[in-house]
């Protein structure tokens, strides 16, 4: 499977009968899947199906899906309000009985507010079903385009992450080959510590001498940290190669990279090893920042 970014945008549009509709979908980074919808009132009933389709297409990210729908050439109907017309006719008859007046003309009756209404013709159930089907098919198209864009960005992120892993591996080797890790260098450092403890005028404490030697030897040993970095690089490389929704797992490995690097820096017994550790921390941070964009 391919890697996917959490950011993307897509659009799909169409015409069904007299209705012009369009989907716009955008997604950004998020810890989980968060779907926000904006649908026209006439299509509110489609919300559960829309959410189901979005969840099937993407597994992580804040997804904003908006549907617009407008009837461009809607037909109109003239409706006679029978109740109002009857009341007007009865009122005219009562008035005619009291005074000498002409009967109201048709145009006069129609001019009275409420006698007739001009309304848009309602869609038939068949038309509504066809619109819903077309809109959902358009959603499938928009989601497919969104996934394609996210995968395109994911491929670029995969290249960047692979490069960062290569840098981490190279810096790990540099730390491993640092001269300060050689037995003779460690012995020389311990000798310096012993010489400092045995300076004239200072009380000789055999226990303190033993403790200092053990402490320095233990601090100089970064074999465990180097081995763990090797294992983490291999695990991260496999996740990137396998693809899919691996953002959370890579984020965990980025934290492990940082932990081992911090320990390596704290154990460094030479400025050159410290410099390598700091360079390693910078690359690990770059790796972590890019991982935050992955699904």
């Amino acid at each position: 499977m391919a890697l996917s970014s959490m950011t993307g945008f897509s659009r799909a549009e169409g015409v069904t009968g007299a209705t012009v509709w369009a989907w716009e979908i955008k997604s950004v980074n998020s810890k989980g899947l968060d779907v926000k919808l904006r649908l026209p009132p006439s299509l509110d009933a489609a919300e559960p199906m829309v959410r189901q389709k979005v969840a099937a297409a993407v597994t992580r990210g804040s997804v904003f899906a908006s549907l617009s729908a407008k009837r461009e050439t809607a037909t109109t109907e003239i409706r006679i309000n029978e109740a109002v017309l009857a009341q007007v006719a009865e009122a005219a008859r009562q008035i005619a009985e009291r005074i000498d007046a002409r009967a109201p003309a048709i145009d006069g009756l129609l001019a009275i507010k409420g006698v007739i209404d001009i309304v848009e013709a309602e869609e038939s159930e068949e038309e509504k079903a066809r619109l819903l089907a077309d809109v959902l098919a358009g959603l499938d198209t928009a989601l497919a385009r969104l996934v394609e864009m996210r995968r395109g960005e994911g491929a670029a992120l995969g290249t960047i992450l692979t490069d960062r892993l290569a840098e981490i591996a190279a810096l790990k080797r540099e730390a491993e080959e640092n001269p300060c890790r050689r037995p003779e260098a460690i012995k020389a450092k311990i000798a310096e510590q012993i010489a400092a403890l045995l300076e004239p005028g200072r009380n000789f404490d055999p226990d303190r001498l033993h403790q200092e030697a053990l402490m320095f030897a233990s601090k100089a040993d970064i074999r465990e940290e180097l081995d763990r970095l090797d294992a983490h690089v291999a695990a991260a490389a496999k996740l990137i190669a396998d693809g899919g929704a691996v953002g959370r797992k890579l984020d965990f490995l980025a934290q492990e990279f940082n932990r081992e690097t911090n320990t390596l820096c704290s154990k460094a017994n030479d400025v050159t090893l410290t410099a390598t550790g700091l360079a390693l921390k910078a690359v690990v941070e770059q790796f972590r920042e890019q991982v935050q964009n992955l699904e």
Side-chain angles (χ1 to χ4, degrees):
M1 294 179 65
L3 292 175
S4 292
S5 166
M6 281 191 285
T7 60
F9 175 83
S10 68
R11 178 181 173 87
E13 55 191 18
V15 179
T16 303
T19 302
V20 178
W21 52 265
W23 280 104
E24 283 193 357
I25 306 178
K26 66 177 180 179
S27 65
V28 295
N29 295 357
S30 177
K31 291 184 178 180
L33 178 61
D34 181 23
V35 181
K36 295 180 176 63
L37 302 179
R38 187 174 66 185
L39 305 176
S42 59
L43 289 165
D44 275 345
E47 180 173 342
M49 290 177 281
V50 173
R51 290 188 177 276
Q52 184 178 6
K53 285 179 176 290
V54 173
V58 299
T59 59
R60 194 176 173 209
S62 287
V63 180
F64 304 86
S66 173
L67 172 64
S68 62
K70 182 179 180 182
R71 299 187 72 189
E72 295 289 347
T73 57
T75 57
T76 58
E77 292 181 352
I78 296 177
R79 296 179 182 175
I80 299 175
N81 192 324
E82 298 290 348
V84 174
L85 179 60
Q87 292 175 9
V88 170
E90 177 60 22
R93 185 189 65 76
Q94 292 178 11
I95 293 172
E97 290 177 353
R98 297 177 185 178
I99 61 174
D100 184 15
R102 293 183 302 168
I106 294 297
D107 58 348
L109 289 174
L110 296 180
I112 298 174
K113 185 177 181 180
V115 173
I116 62 171
D117 294 319
I118 300 177
V119 297
E120 288 188 1
E122 293 185 359
E123 292 179 301
S124 66
E125 291 302 318
E126 182 181 348
E127 290 174 326
K128 290 180 180 178
R130 184 157 58 93
L131 175 60
L132 177 60
D134 288 353
V135 162
L136 291 177
L139 175 62
D140 289 337
T141 300
L143 286 172
R145 292 172 180 171
L146 178 71
V147 169
E148 182 181 1
M149 182 176 183
R150 284 164 57 116
R151 285 180 178 172
E153 293 192 8
L157 285 173
T159 300
I160 295 172
L161 291 174
T162 299
D163 290 344
R164 296 294 86 79
L165 283 180
E167 292 181 41
I168 291 172
L171 287 167
K172 175 263 173 187
R173 288 192 298 271
E174 181 179 310
E176 190 169 28
E177 296 168 0
N178 192 295
C180 73
R181 295 192 63 245
R182 296 174 182 168
E184 56 270 23
I186 296 175
K187 289 179 181 178
K189 288 286 186 179
I190 293 177
E192 289 180 14
Q193 296 290 329
I194 293 174
L197 290 172
L198 297 178
E199 286 180 358
R202 297 186 62 175
N203 293 327
F204 178 74
D205 185 347
D207 290 336
R208 172 71 183 281
L209 179 63
H210 183 68
Q211 290 174 2
E212 289 288 339
L214 288 178
M215 186 181 301
F216 187 85
S218 174
K219 185 176 180 181
D221 184 12
I222 59 171
R223 180 71 266 163
E224 188 176 349
E225 287 71 31
L226 295 176
D227 288 343
R228 287 177 180 170
L229 283 173
D230 262 342
H232 297 334
V233 167
K238 186 177 186 305
L239 286 173
I240 293 171
D242 291 345
V246 295
R248 291 180 184 276
K249 294 179 180 179
L250 285 172
D251 186 48
F252 172 76
L253 283 175
Q255 296 176 42
E256 293 300 304
F257 277 133
N258 191 58
R259 182 177 293 109
E260 301 304 333
T261 303
N262 284 337
T263 306
L264 186 149
C265 287
S266 68
K267 286 186 173 184
N269 62 347
D270 187 86
V271 292
T272 58
L273 186 56
T274 299
T276 300
L278 292 175
L280 191 55
K281 280 180 65 69
V283 178
V284 167
E285 179 60 22
Q286 293 171 7
F287 180 85
R288 188 195 67 81
E289 288 176 353
Q290 295 301 329
V291 163
Q292 302 304 309
N293 299 315
L294 280 179
E295 183 176 22

